[in-house]
Amino acid sequence: MNKALSRLLCAAGHRVELAASGPEALFCFQRERFHLVITDYQMPGMRGDELAVAIKALAPSQPILMLTAYAEHLRSSSGSLCAVDMVIDKPCLAKELFAAIEKLLEKP
């Protein structure tokens, strides 16, 4: 999924940096800031909600989008997505993804 998503975003003109795990993504974020962080819930080493909390501790206004097969379950659980700005069900349509990206990037 990572590589396919990366190709889709690059084809749309976005610059993409991939991370193979939550800890690697956090390390990348500590070195460089990004316009948007896209994460999954299930990742090696750290769940996406944990990554979001760690990133928001460093940059509270950082937009974070989560793509996950567990969206319904996560939406119904209390507080697990407090640091995530938007959740999209996987699989999703490209137009849904790009609409979410546009919405998150227009935030002040």
Side-chain angles (χ1 to χ4, degrees), residues 10-70:
C10 287
H14 297 281
R15 186 177 64 87
V16 176
E17 184 166 339
L18 294 177
S21 68
E24 183 182 335
L26 184 56
F27 178 75
C28 290
F29 189 82
Q30 289 168 332
R31 286 188 333 221
E32 180 181 356
R33 294 299 192 254
F34 299 92
H35 292 112
L36 176 66
V37 172
I38 301 175
T39 186
D40 195 345
Y41 180 74
Q42 288 288 353
M43 298 183 299
M46 179 186 292
R47 292 188 326 256
D49 60 330
E50 295 168 331
L51 174 64
V53 167
I55 287 174
K56 292 286 187 165
L58 298 171
S61 63
Q62 174 64 52
I64 300 176
L65 171 63
M66 181 182 287
L67 301 176
T68 180
Y70 306 100

Side-chain angles (χ1 to χ4, degrees), residues 59-105:
S61 63
Q62 174 64 52
I64 300 176
L65 171 63
M66 181 182 287
L67 301 176
T68 180
Y70 306 100
E72 272 310 307
H73 170 73
L74 293 171
R75 284 186 193 111
S76 65
S77 65
S78 62
S80 65
L81 298 177
C82 62
V84 175
D85 296 294
M86 190 176 292
V87 179
I88 296 179
D89 291 296
K90 260 189 346 188
C92 67
L93 299 174
K95 69 178 185 176
E96 182 183 7
L97 174 65
F98 288 121
I101 290 170
E102 184 177 325
K103 184 174 182 176
L104 288 170
L105 292 180

